[in-house]
Amino acid sequence: MGILDSKIPSGPLADKWTKHKNDINLVNPANKRNIDVIVIGTGLAGGAAAATLAELGYNVKTFCYQDSPRRAHSIAAQGGINAAKNYQGDGDSNYRLFYDTIKGGDYRSREANVYRLAEVSGNIIDQCVAQGVPFAREYGGMLDNRSFGGVLVSRTFYAKGQTGQQLLLGAYSAMNRQINRGKIQAYNRHEMMDLVLVDGKARGIIARDLVSGEIERHSAHAVVLATGGYGNVFFLSTNAMGSNVMAAWRAHRKGAFFANPCFTQIHPTCIPVSGDHQSKLTLMSESLRNDGRIWVPKKKEDAIAIREGRLKPTELAEEDRDYYLERRYPAFGNLVPRDVASRAAKERCDAGFGVNKTGEAVFLDFAAAIERYGKEKALTSGIKNPDKATITKLGEEVVEAKYGNLFQMYEKIVDQNPYKTPMMIYPAVHYTMGGLWVDYNLQTTIPGCYCAGEANFSDHGANRLGASALMQGLADGYFVLPYTIGDYLSDDIRTGAIPTDSKEFEEAEQQVRDRMEKLMGGSGIHSVDYYHKKLGKIMWNKCGMARNEKELKEAIEEISALRKDFWENVKVTGTMDSKNQELEKAGRVADFLELGELFAKDALHRNESCGGHFREEYQTPEGEALRDDENFKYVAAWEYVGEPKDAKLHKEDLVYENIELKTRSYK
């Protein structure tokens, strides 16, 4: 069984990154002009990397399947971005951010990467403020912070409920400057179809123009994948419908190991499923749990009455409500990590206390916050003895200022006013902690192929704490990759341009064409969406919030059979050499059908519960995740050998020299 070299620098934890930057090779400015870099994906990680590499002088090509980098899924992030600036003076520090992230990931993260993430977090905020990102500010003019789950400090910087959008516009403006300088060539509405290796190194890609259908060859001295996560393997998720695993999976098929695919995050604060017609789910930001209280009725008969419409939630007395997170986790209350909150909601609903028609929803109630803020606003406004209506009006104004767009979005979807009646929420697939294995330099097991942001596995362990996705994406793009990729590219200063007429490019292009022809050659019995939905149901029912050996074995066989049926019977209309969105979807679903099987294999092999991976056989008497540090304190990195069920396991042992492994308690 292979042992992976993570290339972690020696020395004290706090000095590793500085020492590494001083030791690695650099490329001088004159030589950077002769080196080409391809960046796949233009969200926060890809956009930041592309802008920074171009600013340094490299020639950059960017590829995204959207019509503009502004439409990357990073734009959907709502709640905020973490940084250890300690503006609140509540005890935060780089070490505290590092520790919270390691603990939040249930001790399945790589220490050195996480400390580096904490170390550069403050620089991200400075960078984004300089770009004009309109972070919220408190009355004195300082940047404001709020709390997120799994921490006891306020370290989350935010721009109302639009943080991802504002950060992405900052990265996009930096990209635009380089596009105007000619240092970035932007290929929008293009999809990477395969990675091209020359002498074992990543030297380019085969791409498809999604408007004309033309197949193109693009070469470079290095390729950066920053294409986000694979949550859409579940079909219903909070991801954009176009989010896919194609770039990462094609790299995996060429030799990049895929790490911890079963580590998938279920977000507790999503609008519940309303029916089979849905194509995606909508997230309600975790920031709402700062002020919203989560509850279900204490009595089943009250829950049934609410489900049947005979009782309104606002009519239920306070003493008849079960604020179950506050009851079970008094130290953290409603701000426990996402995996803990999700399992707790599932447990209450499975026990019969769910509150919507399907019985799969709990309440997120802002009545107490509205009253608290209203009284405070009345006092500061000099209003003496305000009546209830005045308090409510003032409180709603404060809540609207903090969360207004989220409340508006909820009302548009559910047709209920969340100021007047509690929101209904339920867990849904959100973020993926697994991804391509990378070393400390963010290089995959393919030389010259790098991976940044959610597409790699490196920083979050078995669970991602809220507001750390944006942090990792921007840290990788702005402050890590631009240093580490130079160490590799320093050997290419005399290589010259990589030709695209080599046999390696010809073979890769032919493989892409053969694959598309095979997709077009199905018998046409079922649509692409038919297979995607069937895969999603297998994944959610047998690889979702709770897993067990029996059902995981069934999932592997069912997905394998579904994939066989897909290739024989899928219906793809249109032609290869024109705009064809069914063909696009088919290619992506074909990859999901392989990833899903590896996902189940990874979950089956890990005989423990940790973070978002919950095996029913391994839990404490209280129903909490039960880790097995003796046997599973490692990264599981899978090598492609053909059928996903036959993937070869490689291990990277996780070494914790600076923290003590403990039972992860939030009580």
Side-chain angles (χ1 to χ4, degrees):
M1 191 173 292
I3 304 297
L4 295 163
D5 180 10
S6 57
K7 296 184 173 64
I8 297 172
S10 60
L13 185 66
D15 298 337
K16 286 182 186 294
W17 179 229
T18 300
K19 178 179 184 298
H20 191 61
K21 288 189 293 183
N22 290 336
D23 290 346
I24 58 178
N25 294 316
L26 300 176
V27 181
N28 82 37
N31 287 330
K32 287 189 177 87
R33 294 194 290 268
N34 301 318
I35 292 178
D36 305 320
V37 180
I38 285 173
V39 179
I40 311 296
T42 52
L44 288 181
T52 309
L53 291 170
E55 181 79 38
L56 288 171
Y58 296 106
N59 306 310
V60 178
K61 288 183 179 181
T62 62
F63 293 81
C64 68
Y65 66 79
Q66 300 94 341
D67 57 359
S68 165
R70 294 193 312 276
R71 294 176 65 83
H73 187 57
S74 299
I75 202 169
Q78 298 165 343
I81 177 170
N82 288 333
K85 281 187 168 289
N86 196 32
Y87 282 172
Q88 305 296 313
D90 55 3
D92 203 7
S93 65
N94 285 348
Y95 182 85
R96 173 62 69 178
L97 175 52
F98 154 75
Y99 175 78
D100 285 344
T101 305
I102 292 276
K103 177 185 175 186
D106 217 351
Y107 304 96
R108 293 293 177 263
S109 311
R110 188 190 282 158
E111 256 197 1
N113 286 66
V114 178
Y115 193 88
R116 175 175 65 187
L117 179 65
E119 192 178 349
V120 304
S121 65
N123 296 341
I124 298 170
I125 305 304
D126 296 339
Q127 168 93 0
C128 294
V129 169
Q131 289 175 339
V133 173
F135 286 121
R137 295 179 181 268
E138 47 87 25
Y139 72 96
M142 294 288 283
L143 298 181
D144 197 13
N145 290 134
R146 55 191 179 200
S147 297
F148 261 59
V151 303
L152 294 173
V153 298
S154 293
R155 65 162 67 101
T156 303
F157 295 77
Y158 64 98
K160 216 168 185 179
Q162 311 166 355
T163 313
Q165 178 182 5
Q166 300 301 331
L167 292 172
L168 184 62
L169 289 173
Y172 177 66
S173 65
M175 274 185 65
N176 262 349
R177 179 170 180 268
Q178 301 306 321
I179 291 170
N180 289 337
R181 291 181 63 221
K183 295 303 292 181
I184 291 179
Q185 288 181 269
Y187 291 85
N188 302 342
R189 300 295 289 135
H190 280 68
E191 187 157 54
M192 171 183 157
M193 305 300 289
D194 210 349
L195 185 69
V196 181
L197 306 189
V198 179
D199 297 329
K201 297 180 179 180
R203 291 303 200 190
I205 65 166
I206 304 298
R208 182 171 183 267
D209 184 325
L210 299 181
V211 177
S212 69
E214 184 180 351
I215 303 297
E216 302 174 358
R217 304 176 187 181
H218 295 272
S219 66
H221 299 90
V223 177
V224 178
L225 305 180
T227 48
Y230 49 86
N232 276 352
V233 70
F234 287 83
F235 185 69
L236 284 180
S237 81
T238 65
N239 285 214
M241 281 300 292
S243 297
N244 62 80
V245 75
M246 183 178 285
W249 195 254
R250 299 299 164 85
H252 174 56
R253 290 170 65 101
K254 285 294 179 73
F257 292 179
F258 209 102
N260 298 338
C262 78
F263 286 171
T264 302
Q265 183 175 82
I266 311 293
H267 198 298
T269 320
C270 298
I271 297 178
V273 176
S274 60
D276 291 338
H277 62 281
Q278 273 183 278
S279 57
K280 76 175 300 293
L281 297 173
T282 304
L283 176 69
M284 290 286 100
S285 169
E286 183 176 312
S287 62
L288 296 175
R289 289 197 275 143
N290 270 281
D291 289 312
R293 301 178 71 194
I294 295 173
W295 64 274
V296 293
K298 284 183 179 178
K299 303 171 187 173
K300 281 190 181 178
E301 54 265 35
D302 289 337
I304 293 169
I306 289 174
R307 287 202 293 268
E308 294 177 350
R310 294 183 285 106
L311 179 67
K312 294 181 179 178
T314 51
E315 296 171 344
L316 199 63
E318 189 74 12
E319 60 270 19
D320 292 326
R321 302 179 179 191
D322 178 16
Y323 295 94
Y324 58 89
L325 290 178
E326 298 171 32
R327 168 173 57 81
R328 292 179 60 177
Y329 308 101
F332 284 76
N334 295 296
L335 284 173
V336 291
R338 293 174 177 179
D339 60 317
V340 177
S342 294
R343 282 196 296 274
K346 182 179 186 295
E347 184 275 328
R348 286 291 79 196
C349 291
D350 288 350
F353 295 92
V355 296
N356 69 344
K357 290 180 180 179
T358 66
E360 293 186 328
V362 299
F363 286 128
L364 179 63
D365 196 338
F366 280 82
I370 288 170
E371 183 178 355
R372 183 177 73 252
Y373 284 130
K375 288 179 177 178
E376 182 181 323
K377 185 74 179 289
L379 279 172
T380 58
S381 301
I383 302 173
K384 296 182 179 180
N385 302 318
D387 58 21
K388 183 171 176 48
T390 301
I391 291 172
T392 300
K393 179 176 179 296
L394 294 172
E396 287 178 355
E397 290 173 358
V398 175
V399 169
E400 183 179 10
K402 296 180 74 171
Y403 310 113
N405 61 310
L406 298 172
F407 277 53
Q408 186 181 41
M409 185 163 60
Y410 180 89
E411 186 169 4
K412 281 189 174 183
I413 293 171
V414 181
D415 196 26
Q416 291 182 4
N417 183 346
Y419 295 102
K420 304 301 181 186
T421 188
M423 287 183 180
M424 289 183 292
I425 57 168
Y426 193 70
V429 173
H430 182 51
Y431 187 92
T432 53
M433 286 76 68
L436 292 182
W437 184 90
V438 292
D439 62 18
Y440 190 70
N441 293 323
L442 304 186
Q443 187 170 220
T444 69
T445 47
I446 298 175
C449 179
Y450 288 76
C451 190
E454 188 180 359
N456 75 35
F457 88 98
S458 65
D459 291 15
H460 306 298
N463 174 59
R464 179 177 70 83
L465 288 185
S468 59
L470 305 185
M471 175 173 60
Q472 186 214 345
L474 291 178
D476 286 356
Y478 283 137
F479 299 110
V480 177
L481 189 70
Y483 284 100
T484 61
I485 201 170
D487 186 45
Y488 172 80
L489 292 173
S490 62
D491 291 334
D492 274 322
I493 58 176
R494 292 185 178 86
T495 301
I498 307 295
T500 60
D501 58 358
S502 64
K503 65 178 177 58
E504 290 88 353
F505 273 90
E506 289 177 7
E507 290 171 0
E509 180 179 335
Q510 190 58 50
Q511 288 170 4
V512 167
R513 292 185 182 277
D514 291 346
R515 184 179 177 87
M516 289 195 301
E517 285 176 1
K518 189 177 178 182
L519 284 169
M520 300 290 297
S523 67
I525 296 175
H526 300 298
S527 69
V528 176
D529 284 342
Y530 167 87
Y531 289 101
H532 199 175
K533 287 179 180 180
K534 290 201 77 163
L535 172 64
K537 286 185 177 178
I538 297 170
M539 295 299 297
W540 180 251
N541 292 333
K542 299 185 177 182
C543 309
M545 291 177 66
R547 303 152 184 183
N548 59 60
E549 181 180 4
K550 175 180 176 292
E551 291 187 338
L552 287 169
K553 287 179 177 177
E554 291 172 354
I556 291 172
E557 296 306 317
E558 289 173 18
I559 294 169
S560 180
L562 184 66
R563 184 170 67 253
K564 183 175 183 292
D565 184 63
F566 169 86
W567 281 103
E568 291 176 356
N569 296 315
V570 70
K571 179 179 183 178
V572 180
T573 56
T575 62
M576 276 175 46
D577 55 356
S578 63
K579 181 178 179 181
N580 190 338
Q581 292 184 308
E582 281 301 301
L583 180 59
E584 293 172 36
K585 286 196 297 183
R588 297 164 188 172
V589 172
D591 290 334
F592 280 139
L593 284 163
E594 293 187 7
L595 167 69
E597 188 176 315
L598 183 64
F599 185 120
K601 178 183 175 73
D602 185 48
L604 178 63
H605 115 276
R606 189 170 284 275
N607 292 323
E608 65 166 350
S609 292
C610 56
H613 169 61
F614 191 75
R615 282 283 295 271
E616 293 172 344
E617 305 95 326
Y618 308 102
Q619 56 182 301
T620 67
E622 296 81 23
E624 304 293 346
L626 185 62
R627 290 196 327 268
D628 182 353
D629 293 332
E630 183 177 348
N631 295 305
F632 290 96
K633 194 181 63 176
Y634 62 76
V635 176
W638 299 94
E639 179 183 0
Y640 182 83
V641 295
E643 288 289 311
K645 68 178 73 172
D646 300 325
K648 183 180 177 182
L649 176 64
H650 298 259
K651 294 181 180 179
E652 178 198 339
D653 292 326
L654 294 169
V655 179
Y656 294 102
E657 299 176 331
N658 300 276
I659 57 173
E660 178 186 354
L661 273 69
K662 301 176 181 177
T663 300
R664 192 181 62 143
S665 173
Y666 289 92
K667 297 183 177 181

